Amino acid sequence: MTHSRGKIGFMIAVLFSAMLVGGARAAETVEQFGADLAQALQTGDPDRITSAMDKDELIGRALAGTQGSEAFVSGMRQGLERGLSRVGVIMTNNLGPTVRSKFLRARTVDGVTRVLLRLDLGDRGLNYLDFFVHQRSDGSWAVFDWIDFVQGQTFSESPKMVIAMMVREDPGMLGRLLGLTEIDTELADQIAELGTLGQKGDWTGWLRVYHTLPEQVRASRVLLTTRVAAASTIGNSVDYMDAMADLHKHHGDDPTLNLALLDYYLLTAEYARAYAAVDRLDEYTGGDAALTSLRAGIALIEGRNAESIRYARQAIDDDADFEDPYWHLMVAGARASDYAAAMQGVRGLETRFGYEFSEDELKKSEDFPGLLASDAWRSDK
C-alpha cells in the first residue's frame, strides 16, 4: 500500500500545533538551559525554540519500533523533519503573547535529566512541560522528548499514533500502542478511519467511530485523551464528562494526567479526588506554588475560606509573581470577613499585575459589600 508523505507531514504539523515545546541557546549548566528555555517560551523566539531540539534523537524515539520498507520509514522520517523544522513558529502562534513561563527545576527521573517548566496561560489555565534533556558533544543541552501535562503523553508517543492511524504497512505498531497482541482487519480499518476523520477535523465523526471500538481499545490512554480533546473541541459536554470518567477509571493514578482530570473532579464535586490529584502532581513535580494555589481554589469552591486563605498565602510566599493566589486571597478573605487578607490580595493584584479595582465594579459582586464597608478598604483607598 502506498502512503502520502504530504498527508503525514500535515498530520505531524497538526500534532505540533497541539503540543508545546521550547528551546534555548547553549547554556553552561542545565539550570541555565532551563531558565533560557522558559525565556524562549515567554518571548516566543521561533529560532531559539527550534535550535534546542535534538531532531535526530526526537525522530529516532518517535520512529522506534517502526517496521516496514525503507521507503515507508523514510517517508515517516521526512514528515517528522518537516514538522520539527516548523515547531518554533507553530508553538509561538499557539502559546500567544500573554503566556508566563517559569523554569522550576532540573531533576533526574529514571536516569533521565528532566527540565520542568510551568506555563501560566491566563484564562486558558495552567500547564507543565517536562523536558527530557541531554548534553550534545559540544557541551550544550538539547531536548530529546517531553511530556505535556495537558496532552498527558510524551511527544514521541504522539507521532506513533498518527503514523499507525494513517498507514497500514506496520500493523504491529498499532497493536503495541494499544496494548494488543493482534490487530484484525476490521479494527485496522476503524483506526485508519479515525486517522482520516482527525485529519479532516471531523471530531463528531471521530467520536462516532470511537464508540464502535472494542472496550479494551477504547480504554487505551492515547485514544481516551484524544476522545477528551475531541468532545471538548465540539462542545459535547455529555461525552466530555463520560470520557473524563473513563480516563479516571483507567488512568487516574497517572500523575501526568492528573492536571487534565482535575477539571472533571471539580465539575463532579469530588473534592477529595481533586486534592489527591494535586498531591500526585506535587510529588511528581517536586512542588510548585501553582499547585498550592490550586488547593486554595479547591478550598474556596468548598466554602472553606480560612483554609483557602492559608493556602493562598503559602503560594504567594513561595512565588510572589504567580497571579492566581491573589484572587483566591481577595475572594476568600472577603467571604470570611478577613478584610486584611482580602486587601492583601487586592494590593498584590494592583501593584504586581496592574489591575485597578473601583467600588462601582466590586459592588456588582455579592462577595464584596462587607469589604467595601470595612476600615481595611477605606484606609487603603
mmCIF file with all atom_site columns, all heavy atoms in Angstrom, residues 278-292:
data_model
loop_
_atom_site.group_PDB
_atom_site.id
_atom_site.type_symbol
_atom_site.label_atom_id
_atom_site.label_alt_id
_atom_site.label_comp_id
_atom_site.label_asym_id
_atom_site.label_entity_id
_atom_site.label_seq_id
_atom_site.pdbx_PDB_ins_code
_atom_site.Cartn_x
_atom_site.Cartn_y
_atom_site.Cartn_z
_atom_site.occupancy
_atom_site.B_iso_or_equiv
_atom_site.pdbx_formal_charge
_atom_site.auth_seq_id
_atom_site.auth_comp_id
_atom_site.auth_asym_id
_atom_site.auth_atom_id
_atom_site.pdbx_PDB_model_num
ATOM 1   N N   . VAL A 1 278 ? -3.857 16.809 43.015 1.00 0.00 ? 278 VAL A N   1
ATOM 2   C CA  . VAL A 1 278 ? -2.841 17.840 43.237 1.00 0.00 ? 278 VAL A CA  1
ATOM 3   C C   . VAL A 1 278 ? -1.666 17.264 44.021 1.00 0.00 ? 278 VAL A C   1
ATOM 4   O O   . VAL A 1 278 ? -0.500 17.569 43.736 1.00 0.00 ? 278 VAL A O   1
ATOM 5   C CB  . VAL A 1 278 ? -3.444 19.053 43.975 1.00 0.00 ? 278 VAL A CB  1
ATOM 6   C CG1 . VAL A 1 278 ? -2.367 20.083 44.298 1.00 0.00 ? 278 VAL A CG1 1
ATOM 7   C CG2 . VAL A 1 278 ? -4.538 19.706 43.124 1.00 0.00 ? 278 VAL A CG2 1
ATOM 8   N N   . ASP A 1 279 ? -1.951 16.399 44.990 1.00 0.00 ? 279 ASP A N   1
ATOM 9   C CA  . ASP A 1 279 ? -0.878 15.768 45.763 1.00 0.00 ? 279 ASP A CA  1
ATOM 10  C C   . ASP A 1 279 ? 0.027  14.933 44.858 1.00 0.00 ? 279 ASP A C   1
ATOM 11  O O   . ASP A 1 279 ? 1.254  14.942 45.012 1.00 0.00 ? 279 ASP A O   1
ATOM 12  C CB  . ASP A 1 279 ? -1.462 14.885 46.866 1.00 0.00 ? 279 ASP A CB  1
ATOM 13  C CG  . ASP A 1 279 ? -2.098 15.682 47.992 1.00 0.00 ? 279 ASP A CG  1
ATOM 14  O OD1 . ASP A 1 279 ? -1.838 16.903 48.087 1.00 0.00 ? 279 ASP A OD1 1
ATOM 15  O OD2 . ASP A 1 279 ? -2.873 15.085 48.770 1.00 0.00 ? 279 ASP A OD2 1
ATOM 16  N N   . ARG A 1 280 ? -0.571 14.188 43.909 1.00 0.00 ? 280 ARG A N   1
ATOM 17  C CA  . ARG A 1 280 ? 0.237  13.380 42.997 1.00 0.00 ? 280 ARG A CA  1
ATOM 18  C C   . ARG A 1 280 ? 1.088  14.272 42.096 1.00 0.00 ? 280 ARG A C   1
ATOM 19  O O   . ARG A 1 280 ? 2.253  13.967 41.827 1.00 0.00 ? 280 ARG A O   1
ATOM 20  C CB  . ARG A 1 280 ? -0.659 12.463 42.154 1.00 0.00 ? 280 ARG A CB  1
ATOM 21  C CG  . ARG A 1 280 ? -1.123 11.208 42.896 1.00 0.00 ? 280 ARG A CG  1
ATOM 22  C CD  . ARG A 1 280 ? -1.808 10.224 41.977 1.00 0.00 ? 280 ARG A CD  1
ATOM 23  N NE  . ARG A 1 280 ? -3.108 10.689 41.541 1.00 0.00 ? 280 ARG A NE  1
ATOM 24  C CZ  . ARG A 1 280 ? -4.247 10.461 42.186 1.00 0.00 ? 280 ARG A CZ  1
ATOM 25  N NH1 . ARG A 1 280 ? -4.239 9.775  43.313 1.00 0.00 ? 280 ARG A NH1 1
ATOM 26  N NH2 . ARG A 1 280 ? -5.392 10.907 41.722 1.00 0.00 ? 280 ARG A NH2 1
ATOM 27  N N   . LEU A 1 281 ? 0.503  15.367 41.635 1.00 0.00 ? 281 LEU A N   1
ATOM 28  C CA  . LEU A 1 281 ? 1.273  16.319 40.840 1.00 0.00 ? 281 LEU A CA  1
ATOM 29  C C   . LEU A 1 281 ? 2.408  16.918 41.657 1.00 0.00 ? 281 LEU A C   1
ATOM 30  O O   . LEU A 1 281 ? 3.521  17.101 41.162 1.00 0.00 ? 281 LEU A O   1
ATOM 31  C CB  . LEU A 1 281 ? 0.353  17.433 40.328 1.00 0.00 ? 281 LEU A CB  1
ATOM 32  C CG  . LEU A 1 281 ? -0.544 17.084 39.149 1.00 0.00 ? 281 LEU A CG  1
ATOM 33  C CD1 . LEU A 1 281 ? -1.643 18.129 38.993 1.00 0.00 ? 281 LEU A CD1 1
ATOM 34  C CD2 . LEU A 1 281 ? 0.282  17.002 37.870 1.00 0.00 ? 281 LEU A CD2 1
ATOM 35  N N   . ASP A 1 282 ? 2.119  17.233 42.905 1.00 0.00 ? 282 ASP A N   1
ATOM 36  C CA  . ASP A 1 282 ? 3.129  17.810 43.794 1.00 0.00 ? 282 ASP A CA  1
ATOM 37  C C   . ASP A 1 282 ? 4.308  16.861 43.960 1.00 0.00 ? 282 ASP A C   1
ATOM 38  O O   . ASP A 1 282 ? 5.477  17.259 43.870 1.00 0.00 ? 282 ASP A O   1
ATOM 39  C CB  . ASP A 1 282 ? 2.494  18.108 45.156 1.00 0.00 ? 282 ASP A CB  1
ATOM 40  C CG  . ASP A 1 282 ? 3.061  19.359 45.803 1.00 0.00 ? 282 ASP A CG  1
ATOM 41  O OD1 . ASP A 1 282 ? 4.143  19.803 45.371 1.00 0.00 ? 282 ASP A OD1 1
ATOM 42  O OD2 . ASP A 1 282 ? 2.425  19.890 46.717 1.00 0.00 ? 282 ASP A OD2 1
ATOM 43  N N   . GLU A 1 283 ? 4.000  15.592 44.197 1.00 0.00 ? 283 GLU A N   1
ATOM 44  C CA  . GLU A 1 283 ? 5.062  14.604 44.382 1.00 0.00 ? 283 GLU A CA  1
ATOM 45  C C   . GLU A 1 283 ? 5.853  14.407 43.101 1.00 0.00 ? 283 GLU A C   1
ATOM 46  O O   . GLU A 1 283 ? 7.089  14.311 43.120 1.00 0.00 ? 283 GLU A O   1
ATOM 47  C CB  . GLU A 1 283 ? 4.448  13.284 44.835 1.00 0.00 ? 283 GLU A CB  1
ATOM 48  C CG  . GLU A 1 283 ? 5.480  12.185 45.094 1.00 0.00 ? 283 GLU A CG  1
ATOM 49  C CD  . GLU A 1 283 ? 4.851  10.893 45.583 1.00 0.00 ? 283 GLU A CD  1
ATOM 50  O OE1 . GLU A 1 283 ? 3.610  10.839 45.722 1.00 0.00 ? 283 GLU A OE1 1
ATOM 51  O OE2 . GLU A 1 283 ? 5.602  9.937  45.817 1.00 0.00 ? 283 GLU A OE2 1
ATOM 52  N N   . TYR A 1 284 ? 5.162  14.371 41.971 1.00 0.00 ? 284 TYR A N   1
ATOM 53  C CA  . TYR A 1 284 ? 5.828  14.115 40.697 1.00 0.00 ? 284 TYR A CA  1
ATOM 54  C C   . TYR A 1 284 ? 6.727  15.282 40.290 1.00 0.00 ? 284 TYR A C   1
ATOM 55  O O   . TYR A 1 284 ? 7.834  15.084 39.791 1.00 0.00 ? 284 TYR A O   1
ATOM 56  C CB  . TYR A 1 284 ? 4.786  13.859 39.613 1.00 0.00 ? 284 TYR A CB  1
ATOM 57  C CG  . TYR A 1 284 ? 5.381  13.555 38.261 1.00 0.00 ? 284 TYR A CG  1
ATOM 58  C CD1 . TYR A 1 284 ? 5.812  12.268 37.944 1.00 0.00 ? 284 TYR A CD1 1
ATOM 59  C CD2 . TYR A 1 284 ? 5.511  14.550 37.300 1.00 0.00 ? 284 TYR A CD2 1
ATOM 60  C CE1 . TYR A 1 284 ? 6.369  11.983 36.703 1.00 0.00 ? 284 TYR A CE1 1
ATOM 61  C CE2 . TYR A 1 284 ? 6.067  14.273 36.053 1.00 0.00 ? 284 TYR A CE2 1
ATOM 62  C CZ  . TYR A 1 284 ? 6.490  12.999 35.761 1.00 0.00 ? 284 TYR A CZ  1
ATOM 63  O OH  . TYR A 1 284 ? 7.043  12.727 34.543 1.00 0.00 ? 284 TYR A OH  1
ATOM 64  N N   . THR A 1 285 ? 6.248  16.514 40.488 1.00 0.00 ? 285 THR A N   1
ATOM 65  C CA  . THR A 1 285 ? 6.988  17.689 40.034 1.00 0.00 ? 285 THR A CA  1
ATOM 66  C C   . THR A 1 285 ? 8.021  18.167 41.043 1.00 0.00 ? 285 THR A C   1
ATOM 67  O O   . THR A 1 285 ? 8.935  18.907 40.692 1.00 0.00 ? 285 THR A O   1
ATOM 68  C CB  . THR A 1 285 ? 6.040  18.862 39.738 1.00 0.00 ? 285 THR A CB  1
ATOM 69  O OG1 . THR A 1 285 ? 5.374  19.253 40.956 1.00 0.00 ? 285 THR A OG1 1
ATOM 70  C CG2 . THR A 1 285 ? 5.013  18.493 38.677 1.00 0.00 ? 285 THR A CG2 1
ATOM 71  N N   . GLY A 1 286 ? 7.857  17.785 42.299 1.00 0.00 ? 286 GLY A N   1
ATOM 72  C CA  . GLY A 1 286 ? 8.729  18.309 43.337 1.00 0.00 ? 286 GLY A CA  1
ATOM 73  C C   . GLY A 1 286 ? 8.180  19.546 44.008 1.00 0.00 ? 286 GLY A C   1
ATOM 74  O O   . GLY A 1 286 ? 8.864  20.178 44.817 1.00 0.00 ? 286 GLY A O   1
ATOM 75  N N   . GLY A 1 287 ? 6.925  19.897 43.694 1.00 0.00 ? 287 GLY A N   1
ATOM 76  C CA  . GLY A 1 287 ? 6.268  21.017 44.354 1.00 0.00 ? 287 GLY A CA  1
ATOM 77  C C   . GLY A 1 287 ? 6.300  22.292 43.538 1.00 0.00 ? 287 GLY A C   1
ATOM 78  O O   . GLY A 1 287 ? 7.251  22.559 42.811 1.00 0.00 ? 287 GLY A O   1
ATOM 79  N N   . ASP A 1 288 ? 5.238  23.083 43.673 1.00 0.00 ? 288 ASP A N   1
ATOM 80  C CA  . ASP A 1 288 ? 5.138  24.355 42.949 1.00 0.00 ? 288 ASP A CA  1
ATOM 81  C C   . ASP A 1 288 ? 4.065  25.217 43.596 1.00 0.00 ? 288 ASP A C   1
ATOM 82  O O   . ASP A 1 288 ? 3.033  24.707 44.054 1.00 0.00 ? 288 ASP A O   1
ATOM 83  C CB  . ASP A 1 288 ? 4.786  24.101 41.477 1.00 0.00 ? 288 ASP A CB  1
ATOM 84  C CG  . ASP A 1 288 ? 4.692  25.388 40.661 1.00 0.00 ? 288 ASP A CG  1
ATOM 85  O OD1 . ASP A 1 288 ? 5.382  26.359 41.020 1.00 0.00 ? 288 ASP A OD1 1
ATOM 86  O OD2 . ASP A 1 288 ? 3.930  25.417 39.683 1.00 0.00 ? 288 ASP A OD2 1
ATOM 87  N N   . ALA A 1 289 ? 4.302  26.524 43.608 1.00 0.00 ? 289 ALA A N   1
ATOM 88  C CA  . ALA A 1 289 ? 3.318  27.461 44.160 1.00 0.00 ? 289 ALA A CA  1
ATOM 89  C C   . ALA A 1 289 ? 1.981  27.361 43.440 1.00 0.00 ? 289 ALA A C   1
ATOM 90  O O   . ALA A 1 289 ? 0.920  27.564 44.048 1.00 0.00 ? 289 ALA A O   1
ATOM 91  C CB  . ALA A 1 289 ? 3.852  28.887 44.077 1.00 0.00 ? 289 ALA A CB  1
ATOM 92  N N   . ALA A 1 290 ? 2.009  27.064 42.150 1.00 0.00 ? 290 ALA A N   1
ATOM 93  C CA  . ALA A 1 290 ? 0.758  26.959 41.396 1.00 0.00 ? 290 ALA A CA  1
ATOM 94  C C   . ALA A 1 290 ? -0.098 25.811 41.901 1.00 0.00 ? 290 ALA A C   1
ATOM 95  O O   . ALA A 1 290 ? -1.333 25.890 41.883 1.00 0.00 ? 290 ALA A O   1
ATOM 96  C CB  . ALA A 1 290 ? 1.046  26.787 39.909 1.00 0.00 ? 290 ALA A CB  1
ATOM 97  N N   . LEU A 1 291 ? 0.532  24.734 42.371 1.00 0.00 ? 291 LEU A N   1
ATOM 98  C CA  . LEU A 1 291 ? -0.223 23.614 42.917 1.00 0.00 ? 291 LEU A CA  1
ATOM 99  C C   . LEU A 1 291 ? -0.805 23.970 44.279 1.00 0.00 ? 291 LEU A C   1
ATOM 100 O O   . LEU A 1 291 ? -1.939 23.588 44.596 1.00 0.00 ? 291 LEU A O   1
ATOM 101 C CB  . LEU A 1 291 ? 0.671  22.382 43.014 1.00 0.00 ? 291 LEU A CB  1
ATOM 102 C CG  . LEU A 1 291 ? 1.226  21.882 41.681 1.00 0.00 ? 291 LEU A CG  1
ATOM 103 C CD1 . LEU A 1 291 ? 2.171  20.708 41.895 1.00 0.00 ? 291 LEU A CD1 1
ATOM 104 C CD2 . LEU A 1 291 ? 0.101  21.500 40.727 1.00 0.00 ? 291 LEU A CD2 1
ATOM 105 N N   . THR A 1 292 ? -0.053 24.701 45.086 1.00 0.00 ? 292 THR A N   1
ATOM 106 C CA  . THR A 1 292 ? -0.602 25.199 46.353 1.00 0.00 ? 292 THR A CA  1
ATOM 107 C C   . THR A 1 292 ? -1.774 26.136 46.084 1.00 0.00 ? 292 THR A C   1
ATOM 108 O O   . THR A 1 292 ? -2.780 26.105 46.799 1.00 0.00 ? 292 THR A O   1
ATOM 109 C CB  . THR A 1 292 ? 0.484  25.934 47.149 1.00 0.00 ? 292 THR A CB  1
ATOM 110 O OG1 . THR A 1 292 ? 1.627  25.088 47.285 1.00 0.00 ? 292 THR A OG1 1
ATOM 111 C CG2 . THR A 1 292 ? -0.012 26.318 48.535 1.00 0.00 ? 292 THR A CG2 1
#
